[in-house]
Amino acid sequence: MLAKLSELMFVEAIRRHIETLPADQAGWLAGLRDEFVGKTLALIHARPAHGWTVEEIARTIGLSRSALAERFTGLVGLPPMQYLTRWRLHLAGDLLRSGRQTIAAIASDVGYDSEAAFSRAFKREMGVAPAAWRRKTEAPVRSGGALRHT
């Protein structure tokens, strides 16, 4: 019961914060204020690996493709497909940091058809290849009193 109450309080705090954002504020929080952009963000975040297109999202939320692209870009600051790419790569970065899956498995989990396509996109956005990112961001773990990387 207390956990649900704390969730409700957190959601209400976020709602109130969103209401106080300046009208010209860009970003995903600003996008949540708009009915259609909010639905788009919910779809993308719920199913990031899905092969979304602007057309499919627009049809799903009941808006034209051009209206969605314009609203989303104006409020979030990025076109929908660029936002989706960045979200996928953010998720991939978290998975790489955990070190539990292969790069090919991560590529598939975040919506890429091939490891090569994923690696190219990751390097383009993050500036380093996925394997280098993994090495760079691995958390040190204590083992027998000494620190080592996982």
Side-chain angles (χ1 to χ4, degrees), residues 31 34-41 57 61-63 68 71-72:
D34 181 89
E35 173 188 0
F36 297 105
V37 174
K39 287 178 181 178
T40 300
L41 289 166
I57 293 171
I61 66 169
L63 196 63
L68 171 61
R71 286 173 93 135
F72 194 97

Side-chain angles (χ1 to χ4, degrees), residues 63-99:
L63 196 63
S64 75
R65 180 190 169 285
S66 58
L68 171 61
E70 184 178 321
R71 286 173 93 135
F72 194 97
T73 302
L75 289 169
V76 177
L78 297 169
M81 294 300 98
Q82 189 176 353
Y83 180 88
L84 173 61
T85 297
R86 287 191 178 175
W87 178 242
R88 286 175 171 172
L89 295 176
H90 169 80
L91 294 173
D94 287 347
L95 292 170
L96 287 164
R97 192 175 295 115
S98 75

Side-chain angles (χ1 to χ4, degrees), residues 48-50 88-89 91-119 122 130-131 134:
H50 181 73
R88 286 175 171 172
L89 295 176
L91 294 173
D94 287 347
L95 292 170
L96 287 164
R97 192 175 295 115
S98 75
R100 293 186 183 100
Q101 291 179 280
T102 65
I103 292 173
I106 291 170
S108 177
D109 285 353
V110 299
Y112 285 86
D113 292 332
S114 72
E115 183 177 350
F118 166 69
S119 293
F122 194 91
R134 174 175 270 165

